[in-house]
């Protein structure tokens, strides 16, 4: 099938973004060391910004995950709740 566009999409300003290709391009432009430094700094900055709104909930192994699995599948976990399964 041909790809279908959603209503209201401005195709002139839209292009496909493929992260692995972009990563390879940046690693070539910046070098591996600078890529690692810049991407690590970006991830750390983003993580710090989440601390004011993201609530981390640790789950105890597979049993803890099984307790919330149906909620995850149904999409009923609140958007501000991050689940970490501790094994």
């Amino acid at each position: 099938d041909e790809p279908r566009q959603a209503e209201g999409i401005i195709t002139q300003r839209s292009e496909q973004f493929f992260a692995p290709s972009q990563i390879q391009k940046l690693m070539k432009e910046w070098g591996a060391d600078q890529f690692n430094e810049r991407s690590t700094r970006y991830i750390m900055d983003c993580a710090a910004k989440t601390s004011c709104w993201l609530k981390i909930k640790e789950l105890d192994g597979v049993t803890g995950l099984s307790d919330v699995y149906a909620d995850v599948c149904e999409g009923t976990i609140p958007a501000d709740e991050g689940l970490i399964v501790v094994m």
Side-chain angles (χ1 to χ4, degrees):
D1 290 345
E2 289 295 315
R4 289 174 265 154
Q5 297 291 329
E7 294 287 325
I9 299 292
I10 303 170
T11 56
Q12 297 84 354
R13 292 188 356 207
S14 301
E15 64 182 67
Q16 184 172 351
F17 174 79
F18 186 59
S21 299
Q22 184 67 13
I23 290 170
Q24 289 175 345
K25 176 182 168 236
L26 292 175
M27 286 184 83
K28 185 180 275 188
E29 288 176 14
W30 297 342
D33 290 340
Q34 188 178 27
F35 176 82
N36 286 335
E37 179 185 321
R38 291 173 83 165
S39 60
T40 299
R41 186 175 345 117
Y42 175 79
I43 291 168
M44 297 301 287
D45 290 346
C46 289
K49 290 176 185 175
T50 66
S51 65
C52 65
W53 62 267
L54 183 62
K55 300 174 194 96
I56 301 296
K57 181 177 179 181
E58 289 189 4
L59 306 174
D60 186 22
V62 175
T63 302
L65 176 59
S66 68
D67 292 343
V68 298
Y69 185 74
D71 294 331
V72 170
C73 292
E74 293 170 13
T76 58
I77 301 291
D80 64 349
E81 187 173 297
L83 303 176
I84 297 177
V85 180
V86 179
M87 300 304 264

